[in-house]
Structures are given as C-alpha cells and as structure tokens.
Amino acid sequence: ITNDESEDELPSREERANARLGEQGAGEGINEGAVTEKTEGGDGQRDGEETEQPDQTSVSSNKPRKKKKKRKTKKTAAGETQEDNNLEDIDSLLEKIEDTNGLSQQTQSGIIADSRPLLYVEHRNLNPENELKRYFGARAVLGDQRPRQRQRQYVRSTWLTAPKNTWPRYSKTGIAMQLVDTRRGVQYFTFEHHREYQQVQFKFLDAVESMDPNNIVLLLQMNPYHVDSLLQLSDVCRMQEDQEMARDLIERALYSLECAFHPVFSLTSGTCRLDYRRPENRAFFLALFKHLIFLEKRGCPRTALEFCKLILSLDPENDPLCVLLLIDFLALRAREYSFLTRMFQEWESHRNLSQLPNFAFSVPLAYFFLSRQEECSELELSQARERATQLIQLALIMFPSVLMPLLDHCSVQPDARVASHPFFGLNAQISQPPALNQLTALYVGRTHALWKDAAVMAWLETNVHEVLHMVDARDPLVEESEHRRKMRYQSAPRNIYRHVILSEMKEATAALPLEVTSQPVMGFDPLPPLDSIVSYTRPERTTHPPNESTLSLFFRSLLPNFNLQGDMRHNGDEEAGAGQDLNQGVNRLMAAMRDMLANIQFQEPPRDDNPEGDGDWD
C-alpha cells in the first residue's frame, strides 16, 4: 500500500485510530496500525464504490478503485474541516509515540535530528548488501540469487551476517549467553562455554601448540562452528592470500556467536555490555573487528562504521580493541561528517579526544568537508569553515610530527619555508615519545588517502603557514603543547598495542616496543588482559624431562603414555607391571632400531661411462 493510499484512507478511520493509539503501547500501536490499515482500507474502498463487482480480484480492480477513491476523498475533504483536524490529531499522536521511543524525526530536507543515542546501531546498516545496492543497484548486487534462495533450507534469521548454503548445518555448539548484572539501565552479559565446548577448546589449544594448521582444519571438520578455530584459520587463509575463505570463516564465527545470544541482548540499544577480561567474550570482539576490516576493504565503509559503533558500545569505557583510533577514519570514508563532529562535541569533555592525533586531524577535516556542502545554509557553512580552521591549527601545534609523513605519503613536496623550518622538521619526529610515534604512524598510514584532494591540500597549506607565524611569534600555546607532549604519551596502554597488531599497519607495527614483539601473538587472543577473569582452566599436561632423545620423542608422538625413564604410575601393582612390560618392550624395539640404523650402508650411484650422454631423456 503506497503512501498516497494511506494518506487518503486516514480521514475515514480517525476514530478507530484514536482508540487504537490510546489503548496500545508505542511499538504495538504502530505495527498493528499498519496491519489494520491494510484490512480496513479494503472495507473503505468497498463502502465508497458500490459499482464494483464483489467477484473481481483485488489485482485487476486495484487501479480503478484507487483513482475513484482519490476523486472522492478530494471532494469530501474540501468541504469538511473536521476531518482535517482529526488527521492533524493523528499525526501529532504518532509524533509523540515516536518521540517516546527515542526514534528521530526525518525532516523535509532529509536531515535526521540527533535524538538517538550516539552509538545507536541500525539493523539495516549492518548488512553490506544494502550499501552495495545504493552504489550499484539491486540487480548488480543480487543477480540471480532470489530464485535460489527459495529452495534454501530453513536457517535462523540473523542480523550480523547471512548464513550461506555452503556452510555446514548448524547445531548447538555449547556456547550460551547469560545476563550477569543490570546497573543504571545498563545490562552486563557474558558468554559461557558448556562442558562439551570446553573439551573442544582444549583440543584447539593443543592444535595451536602443534604449529600445524592442518590440525585446526581437522578439528573444524568435527566441530564446524568452533569460534576460536574459525578465527585462527581465518588468519592462516589471509596470510596465504585466500581473502574469500578468510572472510567466510569470520562470518561463520559471527553466525555461531549470534545464535547463542541471550533473548534480551540488543545490538542496537547501546546499553548492553560485555567484559573483555573474560576469555569467552573476546572472540565476539575479535570477530566483529576482523569483519569490519574486511568490510572496509570490500568498499563498504558505512557498514564498517556501524560495526565499529557496535564494538564501542559493548565496552565504551575501556575500549579493549581501541576502536576510537579507527572510527574517525570510517566516518570520513562513509561521509558521516555530522556523526564525527557530534562524537567530538559529546565525548571531548570526558575522553579528551583532541589528545589523540587521529581525532585532532580528522575532526577539522570533517568540518572542512561540511563547509563545502551546498545544501547547508550560508551561516552553517561559515561556522564550519571557522571551526575547521581553528581545530586544524591546534592539531598542527599539538602534533607537528604528523605533517611531513602525511605530505610524503600524499607525494606532495612542501615549500622551502616549511621544509626548512625546525618546528616541522626531522627533530619533531625524533624528539617525541615512542608511544606518540605509534599513534601518528597509525593515523598517517591509514588516512593519508583522504588528504590527497587538491582543495584539502590548499586549505592545509594555508593553515600550516599560519601556524608558522604563531611559532615565530613565540605564542605561549606552542610551548604549552610541547610540554604536554613530553609529559604524556610515555607508554601506550595495552589496548593500543592490541589495536596496532590487529590493524597490521606496517608503519605502526614497526614502532611497537620490544616487549610486545618478542612475545608470541595468537590471532584468536592477541595480548590478553593481565587481569583476566578465568572461569575454567585447562587441565595440566604431564611434564616430561627435557633431556629426552629424538627417538624417545618420536615414540611419544606414537604412544603418548610412553616413558623411557621408567616413571611409572603407582596406582597398583598390576598397572605398574603393565607399564614396566610396555617400557621393556619398547626399549628392545629401540635397541633393534639402533642396530638397523648402524648397519645401513649407502651405495654410490653407478658411474656412467659416457658423462655427456646422447642428449635424450628417458
């Protein structure tokens, strides 16, 4: 039913709509109103059209009835002001209901008001196909998928990813989610591993220690939805340049976790929390992060931004994966400039976002892009230009080491005054702390392509010269910023190291300290928190003496209970005797193998009398 029909049918149903809106809640009133509009619309059409035959189908008589209905409503509405008033009452009631639900009103200009929470996540923006349809059209994205989807077996409907026909059939994996606590309107959840899943997890850890990816593949054949195995194997596929398989494994991990969601766990509300200190929760964070990286590389920055907001809403205070270093880049790529400026305004007071180089430079860039939008008023454009100029100068004063690497990545040669000035020279990069080097390298390596526009470079050049005037005039702000750089950024927190490792930006990875690069980093749990909350532990494995021979290790790989040194378990004389007999038999076998290896003689290959040969291959 189109909007024109619904608007025409509203005046004839104001009493029923008023009663329905008064009796029911917000969400139920709107949903059931849509259903009753369709059913009552048919009754209204039959009442107003006595000439129509009752045995006509709705499809064949839809258009003529629509035209006649429009003509009738125009005539009656012109003479009756009471129905217009009732229609305005219904509209006002609907507006009140939407306001109470926290939903934003869409104005005539298409700009959505900022009535939703900052980290509100929309379901439709979690589907990359919706973004690709806006770019290329539904026919180019879907192709001939629709006929095949009708024959697909029934699968559970999910928001994070769509299950594929090529995936194994889903069954209960042993993962569940529990509601831990509710405080101040915020709900705290945690994933839990049942006993059978714990056993699979122990096998997975053994497979990882074996350093053989084939063991993980074998484990996944038996347990196709084990999350950590999917994450680890995805990294292996990505290193082997199999991007499609790597992305598919991450989507399967997300599907497995979403099927275990608690009934009241909400992706969109922004009030559901997960504690990263619990090992069971980390897989969800990591799967979301790896998925948004694939989405950004696939050319879906708007969808990636929505996933980034979702990760941040799960733990906005601690931000275990430090997605604050990424969200500004995704907002600029998706052209969500208003979201980025709003986030800076709301969070600057308690999160000091201006002390991060990425926000210090991205926010003025967002204001600059806003100042070039034609649909804004002249006052808004001038305010955006003024704000952009003010913030970019503060960023250049606070982080002068960003300019030269940024120009170098953009293949732009600075003029002689800028290149020779010590404020932006090589000394600015050498004198700053190593932690700040990681942040600036991460930002420049990730976002330099956004600065290549000629208009952006001209605007940046103007402000660079203004900053040099302030430096030459010994502005007190310059000295204060230098003092803050030396006092802060002494060492980066662990979540920043974790973010750099997951991002795999070579500029930032090279700046990691030795204590991070010297320890092994696993893709399923990079740099686990030092204060982890462990709910179950891996059983201790029997320790073996370090001075074992190669043959002893070989036999242990065949016989896990083999013990050359004769350390037998004393659980009874019978068991001890059986172990002794086994060890004696294996010792005799080893002695026989030593004799065999000692008597092996290698014969020299026969010498050919004609070394040059006749040039023919057998």
Side-chain angles (χ1 to χ4, degrees):
I1 299 178
T2 60
N3 292 332
D4 294 336
E5 271 187 282
S6 61
E7 290 176 359
D8 294 333
E9 292 166 6
L10 274 173
S12 62
R13 301 191 306 272
E14 76 278 1
E15 295 180 1
R16 297 182 184 179
N18 282 330
R20 183 170 63 251
L21 293 174
E23 292 173 359
Q24 298 174 347
E28 296 177 356
I30 294 176
N31 293 335
E32 296 185 9
V35 175
T36 50
E37 261 189 28
K38 296 180 182 179
T39 57
E40 293 173 9
D43 297 339
Q45 288 170 353
R46 287 195 295 270
D47 293 339
E49 296 159 5
E50 299 174 356
T51 59
E52 291 292 335
Q53 297 297 328
D55 58 345
Q56 286 181 327
T57 61
S58 60
V59 176
S60 61
S61 62
N62 188 19
K63 291 185 178 179
R65 282 191 302 191
K66 183 178 179 181
K67 292 180 180 177
K68 291 181 182 180
K69 182 64 181 177
K70 283 188 176 180
R71 286 197 296 269
K72 182 174 181 180
T73 51
K74 287 181 180 177
K75 292 179 182 178
T76 56
E80 296 180 16
T81 58
Q82 183 65 28
E83 291 186 356
D84 292 337
N85 295 333
N86 291 332
L87 178 59
E88 293 177 359
D89 294 340
I90 293 176
D91 290 338
S92 62
L93 284 172
L94 289 174
E95 290 178 2
K96 290 179 180 179
I97 289 174
E98 291 187 352
D99 289 339
T100 56
N101 277 345
L103 301 177
S104 63
Q105 300 293 324
Q106 188 162 359
T107 60
Q108 295 179 355
S109 61
I111 301 176
I112 297 179
D114 294 335
S115 59
R116 289 175 175 172
L118 178 67
L119 299 180
Y120 181 86
V121 177
E122 295 186 64
H123 279 146
R124 61 187 177 90
N125 288 332
L126 292 174
N127 187 358
E129 286 188 357
N130 293 335
E131 185 173 4
L132 293 174
K133 287 176 190 176
R134 290 197 295 267
Y135 298 152
F136 308 108
R139 186 179 298 274
V141 175
L142 296 178
D144 55 348
Q145 291 181 8
R146 293 179 180 176
R148 290 202 305 266
Q149 286 181 351
R150 295 193 188 116
Q151 303 173 1
R152 189 181 65 185
Q153 61 180 354
Y154 173 76
V155 292
R156 179 172 177 173
S157 177
T158 52
W159 291 111
L160 296 178
T161 183
K164 299 178 181 178
N165 296 331
T166 57
W167 290 358
R169 186 177 183 87
Y170 178 80
S171 59
K172 292 293 184 179
T173 60
I175 303 180
M177 179 183 278
Q178 298 295 331
L179 178 61
V180 178
D181 193 9
T182 301
R183 298 193 301 268
R184 300 178 181 177
V186 178
Q187 297 170 316
Y188 295 84
F189 295 87
T190 184
F191 284 99
E192 290 184 348
H193 293 171
H194 295 164
R195 186 174 184 82
E196 59 272 16
Y197 192 90
Q198 294 179 16
Q199 300 302 321
V200 180
Q201 187 74 9
F202 298 150
K203 295 179 182 178
F204 164 73
L205 296 176
D206 293 339
V208 171
E209 290 180 356
S210 70
M211 305 298 290
D212 186 0
N214 293 321
N215 292 333
I216 303 179
V217 174
L218 294 174
L219 183 64
L220 273 177
Q221 290 177 354
M222 301 297 296
N223 307 275
Y225 286 95
H226 182 254
V227 179
D228 285 347
S229 297
L230 293 169
L231 296 179
Q232 189 70 27
L233 193 59
S234 174
D235 287 348
V236 175
C237 294
R238 188 169 43 80
M239 294 175 185
Q240 297 176 352
E241 302 299 329
D242 191 353
Q243 302 293 332
E244 189 67 27
M245 178 58 71
R247 188 179 69 192
D248 187 79
L249 293 172
I250 294 297
E251 292 179 0
R252 204 199 300 180
L254 282 177
Y255 178 72
S256 175
L257 290 168
E258 187 172 2
C259 289
F261 279 177
H262 193 275
V264 299
F265 182 81
S266 172
L267 294 172
T268 60
S269 65
T271 58
C272 296
R273 303 284 186 265
L274 285 174
D275 193 346
Y276 192 81
R277 294 176 300 171
R278 295 180 180 270
E280 298 88 345
N281 296 337
R282 294 172 199 164
F284 189 51
F285 284 89
L286 296 171
L288 290 174
F289 189 91
K290 294 174 185 287
H291 185 57
L292 76 86
I293 295 296
F294 281 120
L295 288 172
E296 193 274 328
K297 292 180 179 178
R298 190 181 172 187
C300 301
R302 183 65 186 87
T303 310
L305 174 63
E306 211 69 13
F307 274 92
C308 194
K309 290 161 58 178
L310 174 58
I311 297 175
L312 190 57
S313 69
L314 294 176
D315 194 353
E317 296 299 327
N318 300 313
D319 192 11
L321 300 186
C322 208
V323 293
L324 280 179
L325 300 178
L326 175 66
I327 196 169
D328 62 300
F329 167 67
L330 297 176
L332 291 174
R333 277 284 317 273
R335 299 182 180 180
E336 294 289 330
Y337 309 127
S338 299
F339 166 78
L340 182 56
T341 56
R342 179 192 172 192
M343 184 176 190
F344 184 75
Q345 293 170 1
E346 294 186 8
W347 285 30
E348 168 63 16
S349 59
H350 66 283
R351 297 298 289 269
N352 291 326
L353 297 183
S354 60
Q355 301 306 305
L356 294 174
N358 58 311
F359 271 94
F361 281 87
S362 292
V363 172
L365 186 60
Y367 275 113
F368 175 76
F369 287 134
L370 285 174
S371 68
R372 302 175 64 191
Q373 293 184 347
E374 298 178 354
E375 60 267 17
C376 298
S377 63
E378 186 60 34
L379 177 61
E380 292 175 340
L381 295 179
S382 62
Q383 290 177 347
R385 281 193 296 267
E386 181 181 354
R387 186 71 172 149
T389 301
Q390 177 188 3
L391 290 177
I392 192 61
Q393 292 180 7
L394 290 175
L396 289 169
I397 292 174
M398 185 65 195
F399 305 106
S401 61
V402 174
L403 180 64
M404 287 304 178
L406 182 62
L407 296 180
D408 184 45
H409 277 74
C410 296
S411 302
V412 174
Q413 183 66 31
D415 56 20
R417 185 192 177 200
V418 177
S420 61
H421 202 285
F423 186 72
F424 291 116
L426 185 62
N427 186 45
Q429 303 176 39
I430 298 176
S431 61
Q432 68 181 4
L436 187 55
N437 275 331
Q438 296 158 17
L439 295 177
T440 56
L442 186 68
Y443 177 72
V444 172
R446 176 176 282 156
T447 61
H448 62 88
L450 301 173
W451 293 82
K452 289 185 177 181
D453 185 69
V456 173
M457 274 297 163
W459 165 72
L460 179 63
E461 181 183 9
T462 303
N463 288 282
V464 166
H465 285 288
E466 288 294 329
V467 168
L468 288 181
H469 284 304
M470 299 173 63
V471 173
D472 294 337
R474 298 187 179 277
D475 192 299
L477 181 61
V478 177
E479 184 178 354
E480 179 185 351
S481 299
E482 182 180 1
H483 178 69
R484 279 190 290 176
R485 278 198 307 274
K486 292 180 179 180
M487 295 299 296
R488 301 174 180 177
Y489 315 106
Q490 294 299 321
S491 62
R494 199 171 178 85
N495 60 341
I496 291 182
Y497 294 149
R498 196 178 294 126
H499 177 89
V500 172
I501 292 172
L502 290 173
S503 300
E504 295 184 347
M505 300 294 299
K506 59 182 180 180
E507 296 88 354
T509 306
L512 286 174
L514 184 62
E515 61 266 18
V516 176
T517 56
S518 60
Q519 56 180 304
V521 177
M522 298 298 177
F524 68 95
D525 190 9
L527 295 182
L530 301 178
D531 55 346
S532 298
I533 303 176
V534 180
S535 57
Y536 66 94
T537 57
R538 183 182 178 188
E540 294 184 2
R541 307 182 66 184
T542 55
T543 58
H544 303 289
N547 55 350
E548 287 186 284
S549 62
T550 305
L551 284 177
S552 178
L553 293 175
F554 167 70
F555 278 110
R556 178 163 294 113
S557 66
L558 300 178
L559 303 170
N561 294 326
F562 169 71
N563 191 355
L564 180 63
Q565 279 70 23
D567 294 335
M568 297 168 294
R569 291 171 296 177
H570 300 284
N571 294 333
D573 296 338
E574 184 177 350
E575 186 177 355
Q580 188 174 5
D581 292 341
L582 176 63
N583 286 340
Q584 290 177 356
V586 174
N587 288 335
R588 287 194 295 268
L589 178 60
M590 289 182 62
M593 289 188 65
R594 289 193 194 98
D595 295 338
M596 181 185 69
L597 293 174
N599 295 327
I600 289 179
Q601 295 180 357
F602 296 97
Q603 295 182 355
E604 294 183 0
R607 298 179 60 183
D608 195 353
D609 297 334
N610 185 12
E612 294 181 357
D614 55 0
D616 294 335
W617 291 92
D618 293 335

